[in-house]
Amino acid sequence: MKSNAIFTIGEAAFYAGITRRIILNYEAKGLIFPDRKDGESGNRFYTSRSLRRIRTVRALQNEGLSLDEIREYLNGNLDLLTPIHRLEKMRDELNRKIELLYERVHAAQNDSKSAK
């Protein structure tokens, strides 16, 4: 892929491994913008720089950040410690729920052994 290439929205979606609808959603959320837009047809075109930004958004999304948080982060308005703390709280809650499930499993196993 050439660094100065221009891609249609379909090509950009293909190279980024996402759908055209996701790109349009990212645009609606202010995460990316087409590098060129044809006024008559409304066709959108993207450069490799835009593709890198799309991949960055996907990576941050896969790490658990919301699209709003990603936009704020990319605009320099969000300290990553805020979502990190939120994710830590989620992790702690999940660990607590896992422990409760283990307790239920052990209790059920003990009950079945007692019944024999």
Side-chain angles (χ1 to χ4, degrees):
M1 179 174 12
K2 296 180 191 174
S3 62
N4 60 350
I6 299 289
F7 306 97
T8 65
I9 191 169
E11 292 168 332
F14 173 79
Y15 287 122
I18 59 176
T19 65
R20 182 179 173 278
R21 183 172 290 304
I22 290 173
I23 290 178
L24 292 173
N25 186 42
Y26 287 174
E27 282 186 24
K29 289 285 193 176
L31 295 165
I32 63 164
F33 303 97
D35 294 289
R36 195 175 86 213
K37 191 172 179 181
D38 184 3
E40 273 185 40
S41 67
N43 290 335
R44 295 162 160 80
F45 299 93
Y46 304 87
T47 62
S48 57
R49 182 172 169 230
S50 294
L51 289 177
R52 282 192 301 275
R53 186 162 171 116
I54 290 169
R55 288 186 184 114
T56 298
V57 169
R58 290 302 283 178
L60 291 169
Q61 198 174 17
N62 288 335
E63 294 302 323
L65 274 71
S66 72
L67 293 181
D68 291 334
E69 289 171 327
I70 294 168
R71 183 185 59 248
E72 293 302 311
Y73 172 71
L74 292 174
N75 291 334
N77 299 325
L78 176 71
D79 177 9
L80 282 180
L81 287 177
T82 301
I84 287 171
H85 293 307
R86 180 179 50 81
L87 291 170
E88 286 175 336
K89 285 180 184 177
M90 288 171 61
R91 179 202 57 209
D92 294 344
E93 181 64 19
L94 285 171
N95 284 337
R96 189 183 71 71
K97 288 180 179 182
I98 289 168
E99 285 301 317
L100 289 172
L101 288 172
Y102 274 129
E103 289 174 14
R104 285 185 181 177
V105 167
H106 292 306
Q109 288 173 345
N110 288 339
D111 288 346
S112 69
K113 286 179 185 176
S114 302
K116 290 182 181 181

